[in-house]
Amino acid sequence: MTNSTPYSESKDDIVRRLKKIEGQVKGIQRMVESDKYCVDVLIQVAAVRAALNRVGTIVFEHHSRGCMRNAVENNNQEAAIEELIGVLAKFIK
């Protein structure tokens, strides 16, 4: 069986992280509905942001490795580098 995406080998980890993030977001929603202290809400928002950044980093790392590997195999390095730069620019916004 061939992996359909560069991150397929980490798919279970990514899904687990996303489910945890989903729970964190629902927790923040409950905090807001319960009028919890702003600082506590902001701390949780920061935690969710950090967790999402980690998921993005995992996907980006796998994409980068797969993209570069394919580019070398297909002698298409310049196009792969341009794509990688574009993806990174979007990811860090």
Side-chain angles (χ1 to χ4, degrees):
M1 183 174 171
T2 304
N3 288 341
S4 59
T5 60
Y7 59 82
S8 290
E9 65 188 47
S10 294
K11 185 175 180 178
D12 291 341
D13 180 46
I14 292 169
V15 169
R16 181 184 54 78
R17 288 172 183 271
L18 289 170
K19 287 180 180 181
K20 183 176 178 183
I21 292 166
E22 181 181 22
Q24 288 176 296
V25 170
K26 288 178 182 178
I28 294 170
Q29 182 180 354
R30 286 189 300 271
M31 290 175 76
V32 170
E33 289 169 347
S34 300
D35 296 321
K36 295 295 181 185
Y37 186 52
C38 295
V39 173
D40 295 337
V41 172
L42 291 171
I43 289 169
Q44 292 306 310
V45 168
V48 167
R49 188 179 311 129
L52 276 173
N53 283 340
R54 182 64 187 134
V55 168
T57 299
I58 292 168
V59 173
F60 180 77
E61 180 181 334
H62 286 286
H63 171 73
S64 299
R65 292 179 193 282
C67 180
M68 289 295 119
R69 187 176 301 112
N70 288 339
V72 169
E73 290 172 0
N74 297 316
N75 197 26
N76 197 15
Q77 293 91 334
E78 285 302 315
I81 290 169
E82 290 302 316
E83 178 187 45
L84 198 56
I85 290 169
V87 169
L88 181 59
K90 290 175 185 171
F91 177 64
I92 61 174
K93 280 187 177 180

